[in-house]
Structures are given as structure tokens and as C-alpha cells.
Amino acid sequence: MRKIISIVMVGVLLFSNTLKVNAFETTIESKAGVLMEGSTGEIIFEKNMDEKLPIASVTKVMTLLLTFEALESGKINMNDKVIISANAAGMGGSQVFLETGETQTVEALVKSIVIASGNDASVAIAEHIAGSEEIFVQMMNKRAKELGMTNTYFLDTCGLTDVGHYSTAKDVAIMSRELLKHEEVLEYTTLWSDEIVHSTRRGDEVTELWNTNKLLRSYNGITGLKTGYTRAAGFCITATATRDSLTLISVILGGESSAGRFYEASKLLDVGYTNFKTIEGEKITNPLGSIKIQKGIIDEALVYQKNEVKILLAKDDEENIKKEIQLIENLEAPLSRGTKVGTIIYTANNKKVAEEDLIVRDDILKAGIKDNLKVILKNWL
């Protein structure tokens, strides 16, 4: 069995031992809420974050996630023409008044979902991607499981169903964070208004789109993301913002009023920006020491951190962070590029706050007879 050796490195980075801001006596009146940091996924604040609740049109975050994943994979294109079905055109609730048989581009449907929360547009794009809304809903539930959204179940693409269709504040934050990885969605979620053109039998008609997220006009750094309302769900929002490279996701479910959800979402964002920041760990281009290699054409190799690491930091609880490097002993060649040879652990006040693999960045070949003879000769001389 390989042994582990440890090297402790005292760094100059800073970190907080306590992340939750509930200690700041932050409160919300809505049924549930979460404040999540976008790059790390750390939960900063939570209230009833695992309570299953109807989420109304916040459902469309998953609809948009599958749409942008289909765009990224090349399955669909923004310029694709979509013929609107009677099923899509017949959707109630918020809509952009698509008519049966008219043609819209995928981009027009995306704008209609993001800006105006169009239920008809949601169903139309689902049918375009999967062939039917039913199959698309299966894809939504499958993706939710893949993301670890263990308390979520979808019955439609837009959130009109209240009974049996549910999620949680935590799960909404998870899927919002995943959607933000597709940065092109921000081109649409930051639009206050736009329009689409209907080509109908009556000729071309224009429908103006107005964003349902009022924070776009009042909150510094806001980037989206989605509102929702039904009588059963109450007033909901997943609000995202970025300032100074710190991205926060504020989720409010079961709000009592439209103004109340915007106030509480911004209140959580304010707490995040007032009290927290993110710091970066070691650069992946910096060697973090070397490791001994047995039976290789070289005796030792430099080690590097595999991926960049970001750490969430509380501004009022600054402690020196320590970095501990654990290397695997008795490694033998051959080793391929990218092989894990150890771990770097970031700690603060004896608490682990981040961890990442250490790797070698080059192939290390096993020494042959000639290589061994050269070593013997060199040592003899």
C-alpha cells in the first residue's frame, strides 16, 4: 500500500471558519430561502432550504438549462425554425400569445421564456428539443437527479402544475448555478425589454416583452434570473448578481407579495456582498514541490494543482490559511500525464475549507536497461 507524506505550507491567504450568516440574525418572512456563492456552491444563508414547495415559473430555469445544453451540444441552433403546435399555443398563464402554426426561431422563444416568462414558448421549445413536452419533462427530472437535486420533481416545463410538482430553495439554487455556467444566457436575462415578431395569417405583428425581474432596474450587479407566481407557490424568485468577481444566488420561495420577494432577495444579496468575498488558491501553473519516482527515466518530477480552487471568505473573520501537501510515497514509473500523485488541503483553524488533487504534468517513462546502465556508470565515475 502506498504511504502518504505531508508537507505543511503556511500561506498568506485568508479564510473564515464560519460561513453561515444566520449568525448575523438575518431573517426573511418567506417560507424558504437560500443564499449561495456561485463559484464554490457554498450555502451562506438558508431557511427551510430542503422543504418541498411549488416553485411556479422558476421551473423554467431547468427548461432553459436543457435548452442551452442542447445549443452547446449542437442539437439545436438559435436560428432553428420552430412551428408552434396547438398544445403550445393553448397554454394558459403568462404567455407571449403564440398562435398555432406560426413559426418562431429558437432565439425568439428563449427571449420569450427569459424576459416574459412565456408558458407557450416553454412548451414550444420543449417540443422542438424532445419531440413532446412529456419526454422533455423526463429529461428535466433526469437532469435534476444528475445535479443532486434530491427534493425536486417536475410535471411540466413551466410550473403551472401545483400538486406533485415541487422543488426546494437549495435545489433551485443548484440548477440556477448550473445555468449560469452557460454565460450566453446572461445576454437575455439582463434585458429589461425586447420584442418578437409574429408572422401570422393576418401579417406580421409585434409583441413587446417586459422582464418580470424588477431587480434589473434597482440592484447593482444583478444578472437575472427568474421569477414565478401561482396562488399555491406564492411569489418566488431566483436572483443572481455579480460584483468584483463574486457571484451570488439568492432564492426566495413562498413570498407573500411581489415587492416582498424582491426586497428579501436583495436583502440576502446585500448580506453576501457586505460580509463575504472569494479568494483563489494556488495557480495551476505554479509547481508545488517535487515527488520521488522509482524505476523511471527521471528520479523526481514536479507536482501541480490539477484545477483552480476558489474559497469563500468572511470579511470579518480573517485568519491565516494553511496549505498542507500530501504526497504519495513509493510511486513507480511509468506514470501518464495527469496522474494523481497527492492532494493539497486548505485549512483554517484546523478546519478543511478546500481540497484539490496534485498531478504530474508530463509522461514519466519506465527506465530501460540502457538507462539503468547510464545511471550506474554516472555514479561509478
Side-chain angles (χ1 to χ4, degrees):
M1 182 179 294
R2 300 180 194 178
K3 295 181 180 178
I4 302 292
I5 57 176
S6 298
I7 305 170
V8 176
M9 306 166 60
V10 178
V12 295
L13 300 178
L14 301 171
F15 189 75
S16 162
N17 192 36
T18 303
L19 291 179
K20 297 291 180 65
V21 299
N22 299 60
F24 291 85
E25 299 183 356
T26 303
T27 60
I28 58 172
E29 298 300 321
S30 299
K31 290 181 180 178
V34 153
L35 180 65
M36 175 185 283
E37 196 281 314
S39 63
T40 63
E42 291 276 4
I43 302 293
I44 299 174
F45 169 89
E46 65 89 13
K47 174 186 176 182
N48 300 329
M49 69 177 181
D50 293 319
E51 183 178 349
K52 296 176 181 177
L53 295 167
I55 60 170
S57 285
V58 174
T59 297
K60 297 183 177 87
V61 171
M62 180 59 78
T63 301
L64 289 166
L65 175 58
L66 293 184
T67 299
F68 278 89
E69 288 179 343
L71 286 163
E72 185 175 288
S73 69
K75 183 175 181 179
I76 63 172
N77 186 282
M78 281 292 192
N79 296 319
D80 285 353
K81 304 295 184 182
V82 181
I83 300 175
I84 307 304
S85 70
N87 180 47
M91 296 303 297
S94 58
Q95 54 187 296
V96 292
F97 308 104
L98 301 176
E99 294 188 5
T100 304
E102 79 165 276
T103 300
Q104 289 291 347
T105 64
V106 165
E107 183 175 31
L109 296 176
V110 167
K111 287 195 290 187
S112 298
I113 297 168
V114 172
I115 302 173
S117 195
N119 294 333
D120 43 3
S122 297
V123 174
I125 208 161
E127 292 174 341
H128 179 63
I129 292 171
S132 71
E133 184 182 13
E134 291 74 19
I135 295 175
F136 190 84
V137 170
Q138 293 175 20
M139 293 168 59
M140 293 169 69
N141 286 313
K142 180 176 181 291
R143 192 70 179 100
K145 288 183 179 179
E146 292 171 350
L147 292 173
M149 297 166 58
T150 55
N151 294 306
T152 294
Y153 191 74
F154 298 112
L155 289 173
D156 62 43
T157 64
C158 49
L160 275 178
T161 307
D162 288 323
V163 179
H165 180 109
Y166 55 83
S167 188
T168 67
K170 179 182 177 181
D171 284 359
V172 168
I174 289 172
M175 67 178 177
S176 299
R177 180 178 179 233
E178 193 67 20
L179 179 57
L180 290 178
K181 294 179 182 179
H182 301 271
E183 294 182 2
E184 58 272 33
V185 75
L186 300 181
E187 297 176 17
Y188 304 96
T189 59
T190 53
L191 289 174
W192 175 246
S193 65
D194 208 319
E195 63 183 29
I196 61 171
V197 178
H198 299 275
S199 297
T200 70
R201 59 183 178 275
R202 298 180 301 276
D204 288 348
E205 299 177 355
V206 175
T207 295
E208 293 185 342
L209 309 175
W210 296 95
N211 206 306
T212 56
N213 183 3
K214 308 306 180 186
L215 293 181
L216 282 177
R217 307 198 83 181
S218 62
Y219 196 84
N220 178 29
I222 200 75
T223 59
L225 193 62
K226 193 70 198 73
T227 61
Y229 170 78
T230 63
R231 184 174 297 179
F235 293 90
C236 308
I237 187 172
T238 173
T240 58
T242 299
R243 292 186 197 167
D244 299 324
S245 76
L246 176 60
T247 294
L248 296 175
I249 302 165
S250 175
V251 178
I252 298 295
L253 300 182
E256 296 181 357
S257 68
S258 179
R261 69 178 163 189
F262 294 128
Y263 168 73
E264 292 191 333
S266 60
K267 179 181 180 180
L268 293 187
L269 291 172
D270 284 343
V271 167
Y273 286 118
T274 300
N275 296 286
F276 290 86
K277 65 180 180 180
T278 55
I279 57 174
E280 294 184 353
E282 292 286 349
K283 298 290 186 183
I284 60 173
T285 53
N286 294 341
L288 300 178
S290 61
I291 190 167
K292 296 291 184 181
I293 307 294
Q294 299 179 11
K295 300 181 181 180
I297 60 173
I298 57 175
D299 296 328
E300 60 182 357
L302 296 175
V303 300
Y304 298 83
Q305 188 169 283
K306 182 178 181 180
N307 298 303
E308 299 283 359
V309 170
K310 275 196 172 183
I311 304 170
L312 187 62
L313 168 72
K315 294 178 181 178
D316 63 349
D317 188 18
E318 299 182 351
E319 299 288 344
N320 288 327
I321 194 169
K322 293 181 179 179
K323 296 169 285 181
E324 179 182 349
I325 289 181
Q326 298 181 344
L327 298 176
I328 300 173
E329 281 191 315
N330 303 322
L331 281 171
E332 293 185 2
L335 296 176
S336 59
R337 177 180 181 180
T339 296
K340 179 180 177 180
V341 295
T343 305
I344 181 168
I345 299 172
Y346 297 83
T347 61
N349 298 329
N350 298 316
K351 178 182 177 181
K352 182 169 70 173
V353 294
E355 180 179 325
E356 185 53 59
D357 290 345
L358 296 175
I359 61 170
V360 291
R361 298 181 66 181
D362 298 298
D363 294 329
I364 301 172
L365 301 178
K366 187 173 184 178
I369 296 176
K370 289 183 178 180
D371 298 305
N372 290 327
L373 287 173
K374 288 180 181 178
V375 172
I376 293 171
L377 182 59
K378 179 180 179 181
N379 291 336
W380 182 75
L381 292 173

